[in-house]
Amino acid sequence: MAEVRPALCRICGSYCPILVTVEDGRPVKVTGDPGAPLYDSYTCPKGRALPEQHNDPSRLLHSMKRQADGGYEPIGSEQAMDEIAAKVSRIIAEHGPRSVALYWGTGMCTLAENVSVAAAWMEAIGSPMIFGASAIDKPGAPIAQAAHGHWLGGHPPFEAADAWIMIGLNPLISCSGGFPPNNPGLRLKEAVGDRGMKLIMIDPRRTETARRAHLHLQIRPGEDPSILAAMIHVVLAEGWEDKAFLADNVVGVERLRAAVAGFTPSYAAERAGVAAEDIVTAARIFAQARYAGIGVGVGPSFSLTGSLTDYLSTALTTLCGFWSREGDVVAKPNILLPAYEARAEAVSPFQGWDYGERLRSRDLGNSVAGMPTGAIADEILHEGEGRIRALFCMAGNPMMAWPDQHRAAKALRSLDLLVTAELEMSATARMSDYVIAPRLSLEVPATSALVEGIKHIGHLRGIEGPYGRYSPAIVDPPAGSDVIADWELYYGLARRMGLQLTVTTSFGKGPHADAPPQRDPIDMETKPSTDDLLRLTHRNARIPLERVRQFPHGHLFEEVDERVKPKRAGATGKLDVGNGYMMGLLRDVAGSAPDRTSAEYPYLMLSRRSNRLMNSGGRNNPRLGGKEPTNPAYMNPADLAELGLIAEDRIIMRSRFGAIQAVVAADPGLRPGCVSITQGFGANPDEAEDPAAIGCNSGRLLSADAEFDDISGIPRIGGVPVAIERARTAQKMETGPAAGDQVP
Ligand SMILES: Nc1nc2c(c(=O)[nH]1)N[C@H]1C(S)=C(S)[C@@H](COP(=O)(O)OP(=O)(O)OC[C@H]3O[C@@H](n4cnc5c(=O)[nH]c(N)nc54)[C@H](O)[C@@H]3O)O[C@H]1N2
Ligand SMILES: Nc1nc2c(c(=O)[nH]1)N[C@H]1C(S)=C(S)[C@@H](COP(=O)(O)OP(=O)(O)OC[C@H]3O[C@@H](n4cnc5c(=O)[nH]c(N)nc54)[C@H](O)[C@@H]3O)O[C@H]1N2
Ligand code: SF4
Ligand SMILES: [Mo]
């Protein structure tokens, strides 16, 4: 019998409300939920393919153990935990807790508590080696915020904006970052079409989002800081800054003015390859708006200007005073997170880096962006005391995601123990000692707290409105399966190792630094259910979880009608728009050549997101990867013509660090000289290749340590100089690491 149940899609961080048709206990169909607030029934192809993800014949229904011959056999989850607990205990006893590391990836969107419990286990064993995908994503966002300070009033509502800048961000496909995540297409249509909001796009590609832009600066990759510095130059030269706001709340304006002095519109235009008038127009539209916002995506981050681009964007926002003021509505109050007091007050810059654990192989350490995931492979390979010997990989796919796939493979192969929780025999699972089969999102409960928390990081928006949502598990795992929620592995290990786990239950107050986080123990005697765990992690919620649970489609808790409170008497916090480190980075820009290509490597490789996949996830889903098995290398038709190529031709794309075979496709919207390709495709280095059938791995063209951000360690992922030549049919090719790229 079919029944329709409301749920939350958690393939990505948008958390769209959905209706799932359940037949004989199995999900069979997903549609948007018209009964839910804020999302207007939005879903994307990935969400609509949740039934296929859950019912996929290649889904792991049992955990797997690698055998002596390299093959895999099913193993009971309890037995696997017994064996893993024994092995990891031995590794800790012999080599110390630092030899155990955790890596979590984007699949954590399924249930944020999975990471909380895994991190609690890491804390209990005494290892600081927690690495996340966020440190190879937009690590510059929290770093810039630490350098600039935090405005306790928060962002004004998106509805109030009459201009918006998006920098290397394509929310119509990614639903990500500095734009409302709830139905971005409709939000943009309302804003641009109905309200006349002026959209300014900064992207080398005329993306789906850029097609709606009032002004598109189709820049040379990596030149975002030049554009922003020139916009700041114009704003200060014209006197468009909000002088009253600056006088009360901001320091560093004169340092900033001096630093941008050389960045005239014509200088920046020359560097970025755009028209100087367009930079002036962008500055005018932004500064003269009643309220305007900026969203920064992965584009600049991958071009290694993430921190500076985020910082200058924030400085521009602050110069124009585009923050909520006393008496304004709090656009994003906490509901499932603990209450916080929005005040028209600055938190001064805080220490964002140079603290905590340091790596042994490079001068990198912990920071507000987390441990430097870009360097984790080195930390596994680098011999000596403290070397990572056991890696727990949760909801991530290092073989598809870590820069320099050859080095990643070498690192994973050299581990004593690799445990991966993964729903299919992914590229990383195929290298693991144990593969733990997880419950999928429709089989575990969750809340919308994650989407609430994002707002506290710089320009990231999160959800607006007093919205709260709980979704129960709506189906049981398939009959006869042995799958566990991801957190249960760490709970199970802790029990076996006699460890008490403690989780933070006041997460999500933002960088307020008022009170230390509240922490509570998990019951280690009687195993909690995931719902018990949610009760614990939400115990300080602004609206009690029990009340949120009464609304199966989610709810806007209009009683939470908060206004921004006045600045406290004696408050001394100031935002800093002239941070010395950031001004130094800007000086480096002025001293660098804008064009990174050469006769040998005349093109720049960029990354783009596929509408059907979540990074590498979904490639086996017949409705998703099944319809889009490959990742073409998109080029401008003029470049293709010059190379004598037509769509679907095979090419060899070569960087200083490696080579891959790809098929080409035309994208007339791409800036000439660029090649744009989706990540997460291809095979492992020792497996068969076929670019037309399984795509290719762009990570092979990256180096983890040739160029990297000196705080977060993120390496260059975009704007990578490459050479392109036609491949002869079935050409044999050397794709090993380049000679110069030896691991230390
Ligand atoms: N060359 C190149 N490299 C990149 C990027 C790029 O654009 N180009 N992008 C970077 C970015 S922005 C990121 S965020 C990282 C992503 O890095 P990762 O997060 O490591 O990679 P994903 O491919 O997103 O892997 C997520 C995995 O989680 C699995 N999964 C999904 N749900 C669950 C679940 O509930 N439980 C468990 N156990 N597993 C689950 C999926 O099957 C998938 O294999 O890659 C980075 N690396
Ligand atoms: N459908 C779908 N959605 C996803 C994902 C997915 O794989 N598929 N992945 C999720 C993840 S992990 C993330 S991090 C987000 C990412 O979401 P976004 O940040 O929106 O990332 P992209 O869609 O790759 O858009 C980045 C843009 O930056 C441009 N760009 C490249 N280099 C530069 C540069 O130097 N400067 C500027 N200004 N632009 C540049 C590229 O052309 C591209 O259009 O998406 C998330 N959502
Ligand atoms: S945007 Fe797509 S994948 Fe992300 S939550 Fe919504 S339906 Fe799911
Ligand atoms: Mo990401």
Side-chain angles (χ1 to χ4, degrees):
M1 217 196 61
E3 199 189 320
V4 175
R5 297 182 189 157
L8 276 181
C9 177
R10 278 115 61 201
I11 296 274
C12 83
S14 293
Y15 277 33
C16 299
I18 50 173
L19 293 177
V20 185
T21 306
V22 178
E23 245 172 51
D24 301 326
R26 307 304 307 141
V28 294
K29 185 178 172 198
V30 164
T31 58
D33 181 355
L38 296 180
Y39 287 77
D40 308 275
S41 304
Y42 179 76
T43 56
C44 81
K46 304 184 294 301
R48 294 193 292 274
L50 271 169
E52 285 77 4
Q53 184 205 44
H54 282 62
N55 304 327
D56 189 339
S58 65
R59 173 179 173 191
L60 289 176
L61 296 178
H62 297 270
S63 295
M64 304 295 264
K65 181 183 179 183
R66 195 216 254 304
Q67 307 297 305
D69 65 359
Y72 287 86
E73 291 293 337
I75 179 171
S77 55
E78 295 292 330
Q79 172 73 20
M81 286 189 266
D82 288 346
E83 294 182 19
I84 295 166
K87 286 185 185 174
V88 78
S89 299
R90 220 175 305 131
I91 291 172
I92 294 170
E94 265 177 54
H95 303 287
R98 193 191 190 277
S99 60
V100 180
L102 169 72
Y103 170 71
W104 58 264
T106 62
M108 63 77 72
C109 289
T110 294
L111 178 67
E113 278 67 17
N114 288 333
V115 179
S116 306
V117 177
W121 178 74
M122 289 292 286
E123 188 187 15
I125 64 170
S127 174
M129 305 298 272
I130 301 176
F131 296 79
S134 54
I136 43 173
D137 177 323
K138 292 178 286 295
I143 290 169
Q145 184 178 36
H148 168 272
H150 177 63
W151 181 253
L152 288 172
H155 302 121
F158 177 69
E159 282 165 16
D162 42 25
W164 206 264
I165 302 181
M166 294 200 213
I167 308 179
L169 173 75
N170 186 20
L172 290 200
I173 298 299
S174 68
C175 298
S176 172
F179 198 75
N182 49 314
N183 203 334
L186 184 57
R187 298 288 87 81
L188 193 62
K189 185 166 167 287
E190 290 165 349
V192 172
D194 307 347
R195 248 181 22 239
M197 184 186 86
K198 293 215 161 59
L199 174 65
I200 299 165
M201 291 295 293
I202 305 181
D203 196 308
R205 179 160 75 95
R206 189 169 150 81
T207 58
E208 294 76 359
T209 313
R211 284 180 213 138
R212 319 270 170 98
H214 175 76
L215 183 64
H216 179 197
L217 296 170
Q218 198 165 17
I219 63 162
R220 172 180 283 134
E223 283 303 315
D224 303 282
S226 302
I227 300 280
L228 287 161
M231 288 175 68
I232 291 171
H233 179 114
V234 172
V235 168
L236 290 174
E238 298 289 339
W240 289 334
E241 72 273 24
D242 183 336
K243 295 178 188 73
F245 182 77
L246 296 181
D248 284 351
N249 303 295
V250 181
V251 296
V253 178
E254 291 316 311
R255 281 196 302 277
L256 179 64
R257 189 192 300 274
V260 301
F263 285 88
T264 59
S266 54
Y267 174 70
E270 177 76 34
R271 288 190 67 98
V274 297
E277 307 87 82
D278 285 350
I279 300 178
V280 177
T281 305
R284 182 185 308 114
I285 290 173
F286 187 80
Q288 296 189 345
R290 272 167 308 156
Y291 163 60
I294 307 185
V296 184
V298 294
S301 182
F302 290 174
S303 290
L304 279 192
T305 68
S307 300
L308 183 57
T309 299
D310 232 286
Y311 185 80
L312 294 176
S313 307
T314 314
L316 180 57
T317 304
T318 293
L319 282 183
C320 298
F322 290 148
W323 298 107
S324 286
R325 308 298 180 85
E326 179 181 341
D328 287 352
V329 169
V330 177
K332 292 177 270 188
N334 279 356
I335 297 296
L336 282 158
L337 299 177
Y340 74 98
E341 215 168 69
R343 285 192 296 266
E345 191 181 310
V347 175
S348 293
F350 41 94
Q351 186 171 10
W353 55 91
D354 274 340
Y355 59 75
E357 189 65 23
R358 294 203 77 74
L359 298 190
R360 304 160 313 136
S361 39
R362 288 186 218 167
D363 189 25
L364 289 170
N366 206 354
S367 74
V368 280
M371 290 293 279
T373 302
I376 186 174
D378 286 358
E379 203 59 22
I380 297 170
L381 290 166
H382 197 74
E383 287 298 338
E385 205 175 318
R387 171 167 106 75
I388 297 173
R389 290 163 187 275
L391 178 67
F392 287 76
C393 177
M394 177 170 84
N397 197 355
M399 285 307 299
M400 289 290 135
W402 290 0
D404 187 347
Q405 200 199 33
H406 286 280
R407 189 181 300 214
K410 194 170 171 192
L412 296 192
R413 256 186 239 117
S414 72
L415 289 163
D416 298 344
L417 176 65
L418 174 57
V419 179
T420 297
E422 182 57 81
L423 47 110
E424 58 193 4
M425 286 309 283
S426 68
T428 306
R430 298 196 292 276
M431 302 199 55
S432 303
D433 299 299
Y434 294 87
V435 186
I436 306 297
R439 283 180 175 242
L440 298 186
S441 55
L442 300 179
E443 299 159 357
V444 283
T447 75
S448 55
L450 182 86
V451 200
E452 246 178 63
I454 294 169
K455 63 172 174 272
H456 290 302
I457 309 173
H459 293 296
L460 303 184
R461 301 298 295 185
I463 198 82
E464 278 184 14
Y467 170 75
R469 174 70 193 264
Y470 162 84
S471 173
I474 60 156
V475 291
D476 288 328
S481 66
D482 172 13
V483 289
I484 59 175
D486 280 296
W487 67 268
E488 291 181 86
L489 167 64
Y490 299 92
Y491 182 87
L493 295 179
R495 277 241 282 228
R496 285 164 175 81
M497 297 164 76
L499 300 168
Q500 172 66 51
L501 299 182
T502 305
V503 287
T504 301
T505 53
S506 61
F507 158 78
K509 285 194 167 197
H512 291 206
D514 276 2
Q518 184 170 331
R519 300 167 51 76
D520 285 283
I522 302 179
D523 187 341
M524 301 306 293
E525 295 299 316
T526 314
K527 186 178 169 189
S529 65
T530 302
D531 271 315
D532 295 335
L533 183 65
L534 289 175
R535 266 180 221 108
L536 178 69
T537 56
H538 290 72
R539 58 173 294 194
N540 297 309
R542 168 77 166 80
I543 300 285
L545 181 58
E546 288 313 314
R547 181 159 149 68
V548 175
R549 287 178 62 141
Q550 288 163 12
F551 299 92
H553 300 269
H555 188 65
L556 290 170
F557 293 88
E558 302 289 0
E559 69 262 36
V560 182
D561 179 18
E562 291 174 353
R563 307 285 145 160
V564 177
K565 299 207 167 61
K567 190 185 218 172
R568 287 169 299 184
T572 56
K574 299 273 187 210
L575 305 174
D576 182 5
V577 294
N579 174 272
Y581 171 76
M582 295 294 171
M583 298 303 104
L585 291 181
L586 188 56
R587 264 197 309 279
D588 294 347
V589 170
S592 71
D595 186 1
R596 308 189 59 263
T597 63
S598 61
E600 200 181 347
Y601 300 107
Y603 299 94
L604 295 177
M605 179 179 74
L606 310 176
S607 194
R608 64 160 69 193
R609 258 73 197 151
S610 153
N611 198 30
R612 293 183 175 274
L613 303 179
M614 177 63 187
N615 302 332
S616 70
R619 280 172 63 191
N620 287 332
N621 187 312
R623 269 179 81 155
L624 301 175
K627 290 202 174 150
E628 192 179 285
T630 188
N631 57 337
Y634 288 94
M635 297 183 76
N636 186 286
D639 286 338
L640 288 177
E642 202 179 292
L643 289 163
L645 295 167
I646 55 166
E648 296 186 30
D649 274 353
R650 269 186 197 216
I651 55 164
I652 293 179
M653 181 149 62
R654 208 179 288 282
S655 76
R656 271 170 61 213
F657 312 107
I660 52 178
Q661 279 205 27
V663 290
V664 288
D667 178 354
L670 187 62
R671 185 183 161 92
C674 297
V675 190
S676 162
I677 188 164
T678 304
Q679 81 290 1
F681 278 82
N684 284 344
D686 53 357
E687 297 172 339
E689 319 231 340
D690 185 350
I694 59 165
C696 56
N697 189 266
S698 61
R700 282 193 200 170
L701 302 188
L702 310 180
S703 162
D705 65 357
E707 264 186 290
F708 55 91
D709 178 82
D710 58 9
I711 295 174
S712 69
I714 186 175
R716 179 174 290 284
I717 292 175
V720 179
V722 292
I724 290 179
E725 64 186 84
R726 177 193 292 278
R728 276 167 284 121
T729 324
Q731 179 172 355
K732 221 60 202 109
M733 179 182 60
E734 181 50 64
T735 58
D741 190 35
Q742 291 310 324
V743 172

